[in-house]
Amino acid sequence: MFSLLSFLCWLLLLFSIYLMLRTWRQARPVKPWHIAIGQGLSLVALWLYTALTGFPLGGGSWLLLLAVGAAGGAVYGGFVKVQQSPQGIVMTYTIWYLLAWLGLLALTQLTTILFNQVPVLLLGLSVLSLGLNLGLNGRVLHRYQRLHGRGV
């Protein structure tokens, strides 16, 4: 059964990479509530998982990694173009976003494969990655507000 699960996870990973490589340049409408709900659920899910595993990182380290990730994500968010279009305010990813996404994905997946489990290092990378997403999406929402506020 484990090998079937591993095979399905590999298929899901490959499909995710395929979809990202195929669609990364497409303009996507910026929907603030969708972003807020998605990021909020991600934060709650990772916090809950960490709490259920006994906070192996420690609460202070968890918050520090999240904050460092969010600061990096604010810079990383600069790799996403937010602009007005006939469809409304849209965002498109740049090659730098794609390369960072692939790098983080490879790092987390290789760490899991090498250790054959979810080590504390991977949990730390997950918290850092969540912070990156929060910072990136915060920057996207900020730019959305600026465009929306101008009545563009």
Side-chain angles (χ1 to χ4, degrees), residues 24 72-82 92-100 136 139-140 143:
W24 69 275
V75 172
Y76 184 44
F79 298 143
V80 177
K81 294 178 187 173
V82 179
T92 53
Y93 298 123
T94 65
I95 188 68
W96 300 111
Y97 173 87
L98 178 66
L99 292 174
L136 177 143
R139 184 149 179 200
V140 166
R143 291 187 359 231

Side-chain angles (χ1 to χ4, degrees), residues 21 112 118 130 137 148 151:
L21 290 175
T112 303
V118 180
L130 175 63
N137 283 298
H148 189 68

Side-chain angles (χ1 to χ4, degrees), residues 31-45 130 133-134 137:
K31 298 181 179 179
W33 281 109
H34 291 184
I35 291 173
I37 290 169
Q39 294 303 294
L41 288 174
S42 295
L43 181 62
V44 168
L130 175 63
N133 279 317
L134 291 172
N137 283 298

Side-chain angles (χ1 to χ4, degrees), residues 67-121:
V68 167
V75 172
Y76 184 44
F79 298 143
V80 177
K81 294 178 187 173
V82 179
Q83 58 199 9
Q84 183 66 39
S85 79
Q87 296 83 22
I89 299 174
V90 297
M91 62 187 216
T92 53
Y93 298 123
T94 65
I95 188 68
W96 300 111
Y97 173 87
L98 178 66
L99 292 174
W101 182 84
L102 285 170
L104 284 170
L105 183 65
L107 185 61
T108 56
Q109 296 305 309
L110 286 174
T111 303
T112 303
I113 291 166
L114 291 175
F115 292 105
N116 200 24
Q117 61 180 350
V118 180
V120 173
L121 173 64

